[in-house]
C-alpha cells in the first residue's frame, strides 16, 4: 500500500466494544511492523490487523537498508548520506537517481564505524563479480564495475575498544579477498578503563581481537593495485574541505583528534583536543546516526528523536509528572527506542508493545464509548479514497515480487529489484 512512511513504525489500535474483534492498524511494514503484527495475531487470534506503508514494497530495512550481499556540513558535491547510498544500491525508488560519482577519485572517507558504515565500505571494496550474484540494484552494480575507488577510510570518534559495529559485519569486511587493512598500532593501546570494559563485554572483546589480528597478521604495506581499508580511530569530523580544482566539490575532511574522558567502563566519551589534520578524498559518506522525524499530531521528543512512551504506550503530555497516555496509540521500533540494535532487536521491542496492548485490552481500556464499532479498515479506505490516495493491496506486492524474481533468475541473481516508481506501479497494476 502506498500510504505512509515505513520509518514511522508506529501502531494504532482501533478498539471496539467487546462484541467486535480488536482492530489494529500498523503504519510501516518494516521489521518492527511485521513483528508487531505477528505478536498481535498470536496474542489475539480474532484481531483484524492491517499494515499500511508508503511504498508498494514491504519489509523496510530488510529490503532497502541491509547490504545486498547479506541475504556540520556544506552541501558540496561528492558528499552523501550513507543511508541514501544504501538505498541507492538496494534499489529504493527514492534514491535511484542519486548517481554517486565513483569514477573521479580513488579515495572515499566514511564518517562512522557502525554496521551501516561497514556495509558501505564492503560494497565499495568487494569485487563486483561477487556482488553480481546478489540482489544489488543493476544500476548500482554497473556503477561499481566502473568505480575507481581503491581506498576507504572508516573514521570513528573513539577507539577500537568502543567500535560500534557487530562481529559479523566486521568479520565479513575484513574477509574481503585481497584487501589490505591498516590500523595505527598506537590506536590499539588499551587503558586500564579499556581493559575493564573489554573484560565485561564479550562482543567488544571479540571486535577488538579481530581488529588486532588484522594488524598483526597482514602485510605492512599494500601491494600495487591492492584495495585498501583504513580504520581511523580517535578522530571526529570538523569540516569538509573544498577542492581548488573542482568548484563546489569535496576534496577532503578536516578531522579533530580526540581523547577519551571518563573513568567508568562503557561511559567514556570522545572529547576534542584542538589538534587537527586533513584527510584527502573525493567522496565522503556520513554515517553518524539516524534520527526519526516527527509525525503531525503525534507527541515527539525532539532531543531523543523518539515518540515519548512507556513500554510502547504513547505519552500525550510529558510536561508534567502525570504521564498521561494516548488511548489506543502505541509505538514500536526506532520511533519507540531510537536507532539502536539490529533487526532482531525489533522482535523484543514488538513483544513489549503488544504486551502493553494486551494488558489494556484485558483491563477494558480500549472499549469504544459508542454502541457501534469504529470504522476500522473500511473507514480508512474511505478516507484514502476521499483524498485520492492510490491504494495497492498485498496482491500487488506479490506481482512485484514475482517479476523481480523472474528478472533475477535470468542473471543468476535472487531478484532484480524494480527501482523506479514508474516500474513498480506498472507491474503492480498489471
Amino acid at each position: 500500500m502506498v500510504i505512509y512512511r515505513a520509518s514511522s513504525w508506529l501502531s494504532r489500535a482501533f478498539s471496539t466494544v467487546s462484541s467486535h474483534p480488536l482492530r489494529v492498524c500498523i503504519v510501516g511494514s518494516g521489521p518492527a511492523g511485521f513483528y508487531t503484527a505477528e505478536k498481535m495475531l498470536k496474542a489475539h487470534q480474532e484481531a483484524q490487523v492491517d499494515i499500511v506503508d508508503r511504498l508498494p514494497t514491504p519489509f523496510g530495512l530488510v529490503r532497502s537498508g541491509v547490504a545486498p550481499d547479506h541475504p556540520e556540513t556544506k552541501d558540496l558535491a561528492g558528499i552523501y548520506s550513507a543511508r541514501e547510498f544504501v538505498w541507492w544500491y538496494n534499489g529504493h525508488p527514492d534514491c535511484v537517481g542519486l548517481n554517486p560519482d565513483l569514477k573521479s577519485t580513488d579515495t572515499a572517507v566514511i564518517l562512522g564505524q557502525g554496521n551501516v558504515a561497514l556495509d558501505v565500505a564492503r560494497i565499495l571494496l568487494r569485487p563486483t563479480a561477487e556482488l553480481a550474484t546478489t540482489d544489488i540494484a543493476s544500476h548500482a552494480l554497473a556503477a561499481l564495475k566502473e568505480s575507481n575507488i581503491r581506498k576507504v577510510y572508516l573514521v570513528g570518534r573513539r577507539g577500537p575498544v568502543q567500535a560500534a559495529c557487530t562481529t559479523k559485519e566486521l568479520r565479513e569486511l575484513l574477509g574481503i579477498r585481497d584487501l589490505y587493512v591498516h590500523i595505527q598500532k598506537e590506536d590499539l593501546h588499551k587503558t586500564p578503563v579499556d581493559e575493564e570494559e573489554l573484560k565485561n563485554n564479550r562482543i567488544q572483546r571479540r571486535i577488538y581481537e579481530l581488529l588486532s589480528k588484522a594488524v598483526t597478521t597482514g602485510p605492512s604495506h599494500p601491494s600495487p593495485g591492492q584495495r585498501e581499508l583504513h580504520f581511523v580511530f580517535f578522530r571526529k569530523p570538523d569540516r569538509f574541505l573544498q577542492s581548488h580544482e573542482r568548484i563546489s566539490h569535496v576534496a577532503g575532511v578536516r578531522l579533530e583528534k580526540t581523547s577519551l574522558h571518563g573513568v567508568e567502563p562503557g561511559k567514556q566519551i570522545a572529547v576534542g583536543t584542538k589538534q587537527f589534520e586533513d584527510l584527502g578524498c573525493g567522496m565522503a559518506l556520513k554515517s553518524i546516526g539516524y534520527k526519526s522525524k516527527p509525525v503531525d499530531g503525534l507527541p515527539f521528543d525532539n532531543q531523543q528523536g523518539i515518540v515519548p512512551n512507556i513500554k510502547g504506550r504513547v505519552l500525550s503530555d510529558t510536561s508534567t509528572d502525570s504521564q498521561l497516555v494516548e488511548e489506543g496509540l502505541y509505538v514500536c521500533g526506532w520511533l519507540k527506542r531510537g536507532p539502536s540494535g539490529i533487526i532482531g532487536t525489533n522482535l523484543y521491542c514488538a513483544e513489549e508493545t503488544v504486551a502493553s496492548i494486551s494488558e489494556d485490552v484485558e483491563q477494558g481500556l480500549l472499549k469504544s464509548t459508542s454502541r457501534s464499532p469504529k470504522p476500522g479498515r473500511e473507514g480508512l479506505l474511505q478516507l484514502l479514497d476521499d483524498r485520492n490516495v492510490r491504494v495497492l493491496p498485498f496482491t500487488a506486492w506479490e506481482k512485484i515480487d514475482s517479476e523481480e524474481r523472474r528478472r533475477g533468475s535470468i542473471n543468476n541473481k535472487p531478484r532484480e529489484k524494480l527501482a523506479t516508481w514508474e516500474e513498480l506501479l506498472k507491474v503492480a497494476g498489471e
Side-chain angles (χ1 to χ4, degrees), residues 339-353:
S340 62
I342 57 177
I343 288 176
T345 307
N346 292 290
L347 174 62
Y348 306 104
C349 183
E351 285 180 340
E352 181 181 66
T353 296

Side-chain angles (χ1 to χ4, degrees), residues 214-270:
V215 174
T216 56
T217 61
S220 57
H221 299 284
S223 59
Q226 189 176 24
R227 298 193 179 193
E228 304 174 25
L229 172 65
H230 298 258
F231 284 88
V232 181
F233 294 104
F234 302 110
R235 301 292 189 275
K236 68 175 183 176
D238 176 68
R239 69 185 66 179
F240 290 115
L241 305 176
Q242 184 170 326
S243 171
H244 296 297
E245 291 76 24
R246 304 177 65 190
I247 298 176
S248 298
H249 198 285
V250 68
V253 185
R254 179 156 295 168
L255 303 173
E256 182 179 8
K257 295 182 180 180
T258 65
S259 61
L260 296 185
H261 288 221
V263 296
E264 186 178 349
K267 300 292 184 179
Q268 298 183 91
I269 62 172

Side-chain angles (χ1 to χ4, degrees), residues 70 115 118-119 122 166-173:
H70 280 192
N115 284 342
L118 266 63
D119 280 349
R122 193 175 65 255
T166 57
T167 54
K168 180 178 183 294
E169 277 67 25
L170 179 59
R171 189 181 295 110
E172 290 190 359
L173 177 59

Side-chain angles (χ1 to χ4, degrees), residues 18-289:
S18 57
S19 59
H20 297 278
L22 181 66
R23 295 178 176 178
V24 180
C25 179
I26 298 175
V27 181
S29 64
F34 270 101
Y35 280 136
T36 300
E38 178 190 21
K39 297 299 177 183
M40 197 69 219
L41 290 171
K42 284 185 177 180
H44 304 272
Q45 295 183 4
E46 79 289 351
Q48 296 179 0
V49 179
D50 291 292
I51 302 177
V52 298
D53 198 287
R54 183 177 65 94
L55 296 173
T57 53
F59 310 131
L61 284 180
V62 173
R63 177 181 171 93
S64 301
V66 179
D69 58 344
H70 280 192
E72 346 127 277
T73 69
K74 280 200 265 181
D75 295 325
L76 294 174
I79 300 174
Y80 307 94
S81 157
R83 182 182 61 170
E84 291 178 343
F85 188 77
V86 171
W87 281 5
W88 169 74
Y89 65 64
N90 270 310
H92 193 294
D94 283 355
C95 292
V96 66
L98 187 66
N99 296 325
D101 183 2
L102 305 178
K103 300 174 67 175
S104 299
T105 181
D106 67 350
T107 303
V109 170
I110 302 174
L111 302 176
Q113 294 178 339
N115 284 342
V116 172
L118 266 63
D119 280 349
V120 170
R122 193 175 65 255
I123 295 302
L124 289 173
L125 293 170
R126 190 174 176 185
T128 53
E130 298 176 11
L131 291 174
T133 59
T134 71
D135 67 353
I136 190 171
S138 57
H139 61 261
L141 181 62
L144 288 165
K145 284 181 177 179
E146 298 183 359
S147 170
N148 288 319
I149 302 292
R150 293 296 180 268
K151 299 179 184 179
V152 172
Y153 290 81
L154 282 164
V155 180
R157 296 171 181 261
R158 299 187 292 174
V161 171
Q162 295 80 27
C165 58
T166 57
T167 54
K168 180 178 183 294
E169 277 67 25
L170 179 59
R171 189 181 295 110
E172 290 190 359
L173 177 59
L174 296 176
I176 291 177
R177 177 166 48 87
D178 192 29
L179 178 69
Y180 169 74
V181 180
H182 177 259
I183 301 174
Q184 295 284 357
K185 289 187 177 180
E186 55 266 31
D187 286 347
L188 293 169
H189 173 73
K190 302 189 296 294
T191 67
V193 181
D194 289 336
E195 295 280 9
E196 189 68 22
E197 189 169 334
L198 290 179
K199 185 172 68 175
N200 297 324
N201 192 314
R202 181 181 61 83
I203 295 177
Q204 292 300 118
R205 187 166 64 248
R206 183 57 182 144
I207 290 172
Y208 180 85
E209 291 170 352
L210 287 170
L211 291 170
S212 299
K213 184 179 179 180
V215 174
T216 56
T217 61
S220 57
H221 299 284
S223 59
Q226 189 176 24
R227 298 193 179 193
E228 304 174 25
L229 172 65
H230 298 258
F231 284 88
V232 181
F233 294 104
F234 302 110
R235 301 292 189 275
K236 68 175 183 176
D238 176 68
R239 69 185 66 179
F240 290 115
L241 305 176
Q242 184 170 326
S243 171
H244 296 297
E245 291 76 24
R246 304 177 65 190
I247 298 176
S248 298
H249 198 285
V250 68
V253 185
R254 179 156 295 168
L255 303 173
E256 182 179 8
K257 295 182 180 180
T258 65
S259 61
L260 296 185
H261 288 221
V263 296
E264 186 178 349
K267 300 292 184 179
Q268 298 183 91
I269 62 172
V271 178
T273 63
K274 303 301 180 183
Q275 295 176 287
F276 300 89
E277 61 185 23
D278 294 344
L279 181 57
C281 67
M283 178 180 182
L285 295 118
K286 300 174 293 182
S287 183
I288 49 179

